């Protein structure tokens, strides 16, 4: 919805971090509109990451998303209850769990990835050049590093 000639565009004066927040919030709202994936907004991110990587542990997932181990454990419990994910004890470290998607989880992860790609295409993220994407990744890294100092 592009503003008319004489209208003020709220996005023109919005600070950059607010723009990022607005995009993220609208992505979550978009995800909730999809009847196939209700309650999968946050867990869906975890599911897609588990599906994408091999030998991922709960601790790895907590580090990737900057979430507490408790938050990850609760989300994984939900994913296990819905039979999307299973935890297996690591053969090399019996105190560590390795996460795997089930057949049902793989199917949902593929659907979620397709939905994400569709959303990114609809809003134009897929048209960003690699330099811009790289700059945004660097900003994300630095924003995390500042918190660790």
């Amino acid at each position: 919805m592009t503003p008319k000639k004489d209208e003020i565009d709220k996005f023109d004066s919005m600070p950059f971090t607010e723009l990022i927040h607005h995009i993220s919030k609208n992505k979550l709202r978009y995800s909730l509109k999809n009847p196939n994936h209700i309650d999968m907004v946050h867990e869906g991110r975890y599911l897609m990451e588990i599906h994408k990587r091999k030998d991922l542990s709960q601790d790895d997932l907590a580090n990737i998303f900057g979430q507490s181990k408790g938050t990850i454990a609760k989300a994984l419990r939900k994913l296990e209850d819905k039979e999307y994910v299973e935890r297996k004890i690591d053969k090399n470290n019996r105190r560590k769990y390795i996460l795997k998607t089930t057949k049902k989880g793989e199917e949902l992860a593929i659907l979620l990835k397709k939905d994400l790609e569709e959303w990114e295409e609809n809003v134009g993220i897929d048209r960003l050049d690699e330099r811009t994407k790289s700059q945004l990744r660097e900003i994300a890294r630095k924003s995390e590093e500042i918190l660790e100092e």
Side-chain angles (χ1 to χ4, degrees), residues 3 13 25 31 45-46 73-74 78 85 117 130 134-135:
S13 61
K25 182 178 70 172
S31 297
R45 297 182 324 159
Y46 306 149
K74 274 193 246 180
K78 288 180 187 177
V85 168
E117 289 168 352
E130 280 308 310
S134 178
Q135 288 173 318

Side-chain angles (χ1 to χ4, degrees), residues 68-87:
S68 72
K69 292 177 185 180
T71 298
I72 295 295
K74 274 193 246 180
L76 289 175
R77 215 171 355 246
K78 288 180 187 177
L79 291 170
E80 282 181 299
D81 290 347
K82 294 174 184 174
E83 299 178 349
Y84 294 131
V85 168
E86 57 188 11
R87 293 186 244 198

Side-chain angles (χ1 to χ4, degrees), residues 103-119:
K103 177 79 170 141
K104 186 176 172 182
E106 286 179 31
E107 291 169 0
L108 182 57
I110 291 166
L111 264 177
L112 291 171
K113 184 177 185 293
K114 182 177 167 274
D115 285 352
L116 177 62
E117 289 168 352
E118 181 181 292
W119 182 82

